[in-house]
Amino acid sequence: MTEPGLFELEAVVVGQPKRSRWRTYVGPALAVSTVEGTPPAWVAYPDDTYSVLTKTSGEFIVGIEQFGPVEFRFTDAEGREVGTAGARGLVKTQQLSLRTEQGRRLLLTRPGLLHSEWHLTETDPEESPAPEIFGRVTVSTIDSWIGLQQYVVEMDPRLDASERRTVVASVVCLHLLRRPPGGSATPA
């Protein structure tokens, strides 16, 4: 039996890999794992405005290009746009507006500043009192001394693989927006 593909999974974990406190870390910036802990992919930051999500074998999955402080474009191996994410408002990690490869609009919204969970919906929770939730992203700190973050991404079975790719890429963007300038591991 073959393992399901990364974007066939209903839940994945995007997190900063554990690292030694005393040595310089040289691994990937983020690991994308199954809930059981098997890492099928990881994220590297070749420069300040570009991130690459690849399988652990090195096969390219999606590129994440940052335009300005809060706009992101997702591209495939041929450089074609396969989605976008962007934030607006004073609190840049309150809501991300996503657009999938097929043009579907989704919102990743945190209900309040003190919440550690974001909801994936098609309608803005401020405009619709009870929007249908297509997924959840829950953040936690896995090492408080270093400040390493982990995001558990749960997605509705109705989302197709390309929509799930956009959601996982947007969680990478969320992590980029939450980390302070200078690339420190401590969240913003």
Side-chain angles (χ1 to χ4, degrees), residues 82-84 98-106 122 162-163 166:
V82 293
T84 62
L98 316 178
R99 187 180 48 77
T100 68
E101 186 173 12
Q102 294 84 14
R104 183 177 185 185
R105 301 259 179 216
L106 296 169
E122 281 188 306
S162 70
E163 292 167 335
T166 299

Side-chain angles (χ1 to χ4, degrees), residues 99-119:
R99 187 180 48 77
T100 68
E101 186 173 12
Q102 294 84 14
R104 183 177 185 185
R105 301 259 179 216
L106 296 169
L107 296 169
L108 190 58
T109 307
R110 184 167 48 165
L113 291 175
L114 300 177
H115 287 83
S116 62
E117 183 176 273
W118 283 259
H119 297 161

Side-chain angles (χ1 to χ4, degrees), residues 71-86:
E71 296 295 322
F72 301 89
R73 182 175 75 127
F74 312 140
T75 56
D76 63 12
E78 286 79 41
R80 293 185 304 248
E81 185 175 293
V82 293
T84 62

